Amino acid sequence: MKCLVVRLDSFGDVLLAGPAVRAVAARSAHVTLLCGPRGTDAARLLPGVDEVLVWEAPWEGFDPPPVSPEDIDALVRRLRAGAYDTALILTSFHQSPLPTALLLRLAGVGRIGADSVDHPGRLLDVRHRRRDGRHEAEAALDTAAALGFPLPPGDDGRLRVLPPPDTSALTGHGPYVVLHPGASAPARAWSPHRCAEAVALLADAGHRVVVTGGPGEQALTRQVSGDVAVDLGGRTGARTLAGVLRMADAVISANTGPAHLAAAVGTPVVSLFAPVVPAERWAPYGVPVILLGDQSAPCADTRALSCPVPGHPCLDEVTGQDVVRAVHKIVQERHS
């Protein structure tokens, strides 16, 4: 059986689809993952993926492209050439799978399944209804199982990536903790001065600190690192970052892709979690997590990209000392 799995949004979303991808791969001869540009690096890290197709959907992301008939026709032709027997469409709880299902139907995919609150007409062969309170990774597994792809025996359903490289040349030798100050949306980010405060206090408490960030975050990581942390801003691709996170005693991060990557390599997370989306669905999955941030703040469940509350109190009332205490607790529990 030749199968297609679709997850069109961001890096972390694709990582959370990983267990469902493995479930499909266990009963398929070939698995193609169709993802958006922001999820490509994560897609290439997932076990069970034989091929990655990249397409930017006009209904996904912060700044989606315009609808282009030529672009959509090209995608349909590409998918038709793939001759897929079955497709699993994975979406977040607030997204509709039906635009994607229409394109897959036009491409001749034989059987299509997704989680949908909307009436799908003839667009879906299997319409799953998400159970309340399910984490995004669990909801994806539920949808895969409804389509006939349960997890294989021996698979614990946790996030997983392909083995990362040795990154000791970047981090230096000896134990360390990682602080990742950036986030995909300002509403989810801990303020730079709070991050810098935490770095200084962690160093004072005897921790070696490594600060990570993407190519566009070098000014941020430089500010946060000061003269006490190892600054890896702009120096790690996805695989290299996985290696850095894998060897850390703990990772401190907002609700953003690297938090999920830390979970995928088995590292505990101190999660600075803004409640603009619910933690029960989006917290790092399958590893020890200490959640910091006011989950009952007025911004809760707004899905805001920029904080709608002056002063960003849900996160900025968390102090550097709060983070130090959480790191001590999570590291102690890990080594006990």
Side-chain angles (χ1 to χ4, degrees), residues 4-8 34 55 57 59-60 75 79 87-91 96-107 109 112 114 123-124:
L4 178 72
V5 179
V6 183
R7 183 80 216 207
L8 291 173
L34 174 63
W55 182 65
W59 54 85
E60 292 290 351
L75 175 68
L79 294 174
L88 170 65
I89 305 170
L90 298 176
T91 55
S96 172
L98 299 185
T100 302
L102 175 60
L103 299 188
L104 300 188
R105 210 42 109 198
L106 292 172
V109 175
I112 303 169
L123 297 181
L124 297 178

Side-chain angles (χ1 to χ4, degrees), residues 230-273:
V230 176
D231 180 5
L232 295 185
R235 298 174 61 192
T236 55
R239 289 191 70 245
T240 308
L241 181 59
V244 170
L245 300 179
R246 179 174 64 93
M247 297 307 296
D249 283 334
V251 172
I252 305 147
S253 175
N255 175 26
T256 195
H260 300 300
L261 187 56
V265 295
T267 302
V269 180
V270 175
S271 176
L272 291 143
F273 200 99

Side-chain angles (χ1 to χ4, degrees), residues 201-257:
L201 290 172
L202 286 164
D204 287 345
H207 296 281
R208 252 184 0 108
V209 184
V210 173
V211 176
T212 57
E217 297 175 322
Q218 289 169 293
L220 173 62
T221 61
R222 188 163 52 247
Q223 175 186 351
V224 168
S225 298
D227 57 2
V228 296
V230 176
D231 180 5
L232 295 185
R235 298 174 61 192
T236 55
R239 289 191 70 245
T240 308
L241 181 59
V244 170
L245 300 179
R246 179 174 64 93
M247 297 307 296
D249 283 334
V251 172
I252 305 147
S253 175
N255 175 26
T256 195

